[in-house]
Amino acid sequence: MLNSNKLRYLFSSDKKLYQSVKNIFGYYPGNIHLYKLALRHKSATTKIVNGVRLNNERLEYLGDAILSAIIADYLFKSFPYENEGFLTEMRSKIVSRVSLNKLSRKLGLQYLIRSGDPSAKAKSAGGDAFEALIGALYLDKGYNFTSKILIHRIINIHFDIELLIESEISYKSKLNEWGQKEKRNVIFKVEEEIGEKHKKQYLVAVEIDDKIISRSQDYSIKGAENLAAEKAWTKLEEEI
Amino acid sequence: MLNSNKLRYLFSSDKKLYQSVKNIFGYYPGNIHLYKLALRHKSATTKIVNGVRLNNERLEYLGDAILSAIIADYLFKSFPYENEGFLTEMRSKIVSRVSLNKLSRKLGLQYLIRSGDPSAKAKSAGGDAFEALIGALYLDKGYNFTSKILIHRIINIHFDIELLIESEISYKSKLNEWGQKEKRNVIFKVEEEIGEKHKKQYLVAVEIDDKIISRSQDYSIKGAENLAAEKAWTKLEEEI
């Protein structure tokens, strides 16, 4: 005999979403409402309940933290002989906006996100929705399950860790090579040291012909330079 | 009959540490070596093994992430009718350096930390060690156990959430009131907007008589102002 949950599923307009979650993460969701909320971009907010906007921002806040913790653990155990500076840098590469937006496109989240602003899909709505989905998964199934899914279905499949380690230098050198070829003056400037001693971050700007193109911060100058270079590179690619 | 673990415990020079962990967190540790490492400040690094400095920096990196995730979850569930801006601000109040240093003094971590630099104990070594202990606890007992301990033995006992909500305005107004009384010119300046759209942070400086006293960043101008005001206030208190 079919129970009411199964009936609800079979005749539900959410059937597509059940299937999508299964395709992406490898399991059927328990509470489908969490996943629906995770895919609702703030531009598609239709209701405000007791002062809370019904969109994915709260879940994104939660998912962002859970994602960081799981990746921190994963890297801690994967690299027993690396210092915390390396681990911090590697994590920021994995969870950077650029990286999560790319991931969300690979996962096809653009077809699932509800958005009231057509341009939002092209911006960081994808990465945000991915984080919100992690928040939903965590509330639905708990930390250990989320960790297993994230590592086996996402990190191991969609990230090339060896490549990420190398990518440390590649954007900065890419940008410098481009500057030499195009006779443009590319400069990296440390503008600011932010935060307290042990957690100090560096704010680095990329200037091309004396015009600031991008800024980024990180726990090392090298890391910040590279993140800023990556941003600048993305901008240049868009312009070309 | 005593088993070897128990024997090791009873005759161990780590007996004091076993008891301290029990006193602080309410349980006896499994792998005592993790906790010992968590209490070793970088100034007391005596060995480098395969390039890794044997001190609490790696554990601090891990614990920082786990702490953030658990607090994010706790606030998410405690405040179902607050938007993510509020949750983000509340979390940064709980896990700020100032707050964790205070907590570590309450817990008496200064008596347990091994440090090669006497001044380190007065600085942020306490907060760092607390984060590293959370990393040790997580590796020793897992996420769910860590979450339970952290909420029941630390948050519920050592933090007054209602007071924290109110503290939002108190440092800024404290500083302004002091300025009026002392005829000093206190100014808050937004110097920089850092990061990408949806995760934008504001860098705010506190100036007293045109001299920059402190800087802080946060996801809202209000939050950054308050953190910067708190830092400035701490400095003023030290000077008096």
Side-chain angles (χ1 to χ4, degrees):
Chain A
M1 210 179 83
L2 288 168
N3 66 25
S4 69
N5 263 339
K6 207 155 187 179
L7 261 178
R8 207 180 297 149
Y9 162 64
L10 283 173
F11 294 100
S12 150
S13 62
D14 303 330
K15 202 170 162 178
K16 188 187 142 207
L17 182 54
Y18 270 100
Q19 199 53 52
S20 300
V21 172
K22 168 79 168 144
N23 291 343
I24 294 171
F25 291 120
Y27 70 95
Y28 284 109
N31 181 354
I32 193 73
H33 298 291
L34 290 169
Y35 300 82
K36 276 172 93 167
L37 192 60
L39 292 162
R40 185 179 281 276
H41 186 256
K42 64 177 169 182
S43 63
T45 311
T46 50
K47 274 191 211 161
I48 297 177
V49 176
N50 292 325
V52 168
R53 300 181 291 270
L54 283 190
N55 60 39
N56 66 4
E57 290 179 298
R58 271 173 56 94
L59 282 173
E60 184 202 339
Y61 149 85
L62 180 63
D64 172 86
I66 301 301
L67 184 65
S68 279
I70 292 171
I71 303 295
D73 177 15
Y74 169 80
L75 293 170
F76 184 94
K77 289 169 181 161
S78 301
F79 296 100
Y81 297 124
E82 294 287 352
N83 289 306
E84 85 295 347
F86 172 89
L87 302 174
T88 303
E89 256 184 72
M90 280 295 288
R91 184 177 52 176
S92 49
K93 281 181 207 171
I94 294 175
V95 303
S96 78
R97 254 332 79 174
V98 174
S99 158
L100 294 186
N101 286 339
K102 252 186 224 163
L103 174 65
S104 86
R105 278 195 298 280
K106 281 184 79 180
L107 300 175
L109 295 191
Q110 65 274 26
Y111 304 117
L112 302 172
I113 294 170
R114 303 188 86 173
S115 168
D117 167 13
S119 75
K121 290 195 184 184
K123 291 178 196 164
S124 65
D128 296 347
F130 178 77
E131 288 183 334
L133 279 175
I134 295 300
L137 167 43
Y138 171 78
L139 291 176
D140 194 23
K141 304 279 183 177
Y143 181 86
N144 295 333
F145 188 89
T146 306
S147 172
K148 228 164 62 185
I149 295 284
L150 196 59
I151 291 166
H152 295 303
R153 302 276 312 195
I154 304 294
I155 301 295
N156 288 350
I157 295 176
H158 298 285
F159 286 87
D160 184 332
I161 298 295
E162 289 305 316
L163 208 69
L164 271 184
I165 295 175
E166 286 165 23
S167 81
E168 194 175 351
I169 45 155
S170 70
Y171 280 102
K172 191 180 174 188
S173 40
K174 255 182 171 175
L175 205 60
N176 280 329
E177 282 163 21
W178 170 88
Q180 281 173 4
K181 204 177 126 215
E182 302 287 331
K183 311 246 178 287
R184 306 281 289 269
N185 192 21
V186 178
I187 289 175
F188 291 82
K189 258 189 196 166
V190 179
E191 293 192 322
E192 188 81 52
E193 298 181 5
I194 300 159
E196 288 149 7
K197 241 194 139 189
H198 202 55
K199 297 250 162 162
K200 190 155 69 181
Q201 295 201 29
Y202 299 88
L203 180 70
V204 165
V206 172
E207 289 185 11
I208 300 181
D209 297 338
D210 296 330
K211 202 186 135 199
I212 291 173
I213 301 296
S214 65
R215 283 193 175 89
S216 267
Q217 59 178 324
D218 197 18
Y219 293 97
S220 71
I221 293 177
K222 207 167 141 195
E225 282 179 345
N226 205 60
L227 288 170
E230 187 176 357
K231 264 196 218 167
W233 189 257
T234 311
K235 277 196 187 169
L236 287 176
E237 278 187 329
E238 279 167 7
E239 281 171 20
I240 294 162
Chain B
M1 210 180 81
L2 287 168
N3 66 27
S4 69
N5 262 339
K6 208 156 185 179
L7 262 178
R8 205 180 298 147
Y9 162 64
L10 283 171
F11 294 99
S12 152
S13 63
D14 303 329
K15 201 170 162 179
K16 188 188 143 208
L17 182 55
Y18 271 100
Q19 200 52 54
S20 300
V21 172
K22 167 80 168 145
N23 291 343
I24 294 171
F25 292 120
Y27 71 94
Y28 285 109
N31 182 353
I32 194 72
H33 299 292
L34 290 169
Y35 300 82
K36 277 172 92 167
L37 192 61
L39 292 162
R40 184 179 282 276
H41 186 255
K42 64 177 170 182
S43 63
T45 311
T46 49
K47 274 191 211 162
I48 297 177
V49 177
N50 291 325
V52 168
R53 301 181 290 269
L54 281 190
N55 61 37
N56 67 4
E57 290 179 298
R58 272 173 54 92
L59 282 173
E60 184 202 341
Y61 149 84
L62 180 62
D64 172 86
I66 301 302
L67 184 64
S68 279
I70 292 171
I71 303 295
D73 178 14
Y74 169 80
L75 294 170
F76 185 93
K77 288 169 181 162
S78 301
F79 296 100
Y81 297 124
E82 294 287 352
N83 289 306
E84 86 293 347
F86 171 89
L87 302 175
T88 303
E89 256 184 73
M90 280 294 290
R91 184 177 51 175
S92 49
K93 281 182 207 171
I94 294 174
V95 304
S96 78
R97 252 335 77 176
V98 175
S99 158
L100 294 186
N101 286 340
K102 253 185 224 163
L103 174 66
S104 86
R105 278 194 298 278
K106 281 185 78 179
L107 299 176
L109 296 191
Q110 66 274 27
Y111 304 116
L112 303 172
I113 294 170
R114 305 189 85 174
S115 169
D117 167 14
S119 74
K121 289 196 185 183
K123 291 179 197 163
S124 64
D128 296 349
F130 178 77
E131 288 183 333
L133 278 175
I134 295 299
L137 168 43
Y138 170 79
L139 290 176
D140 194 23
K141 302 279 184 177
Y143 181 86
N144 295 331
F145 189 88
T146 306
S147 172
K148 228 164 61 185
I149 295 285
L150 196 60
I151 291 167
H152 295 302
R153 302 276 312 195
I154 304 294
I155 302 295
N156 288 349
I157 294 177
H158 298 285
F159 286 88
D160 184 332
I161 298 295
E162 289 305 314
L163 207 70
L164 271 184
I165 294 174
E166 286 164 24
S167 81
E168 195 175 351
I169 45 156
S170 71
Y171 280 102
K172 189 179 175 187
S173 39
K174 254 181 170 174
L175 205 60
N176 280 330
E177 281 162 22
W178 170 88
Q180 280 172 6
K181 204 177 126 219
E182 302 286 331
K183 310 247 180 286
R184 305 283 288 268
N185 191 22
V186 178
I187 288 176
F188 291 82
K189 258 190 195 164
V190 179
E191 293 193 322
E192 189 78 52
E193 297 180 7
I194 300 159
E196 288 148 8
K197 239 195 140 186
H198 203 55
K199 298 252 163 163
K200 190 155 69 181
Q201 295 201 31
Y202 299 89
L203 180 70
V204 166
V206 173
E207 289 184 12
I208 299 182
D209 298 337
D210 297 330
K211 202 186 135 201
I212 291 173
I213 301 296
S214 65
R215 285 195 174 89
S216 266
Q217 59 179 324
D218 196 18
Y219 293 98
S220 71
I221 293 177
K222 208 166 141 194
E225 282 179 344
N226 205 59
L227 288 169
E230 188 176 356
K231 264 195 219 167
W233 189 254
T234 311
K235 278 196 187 170
L236 288 176
E237 278 187 328
E238 281 168 6
E239 281 171 20
I240 295 164

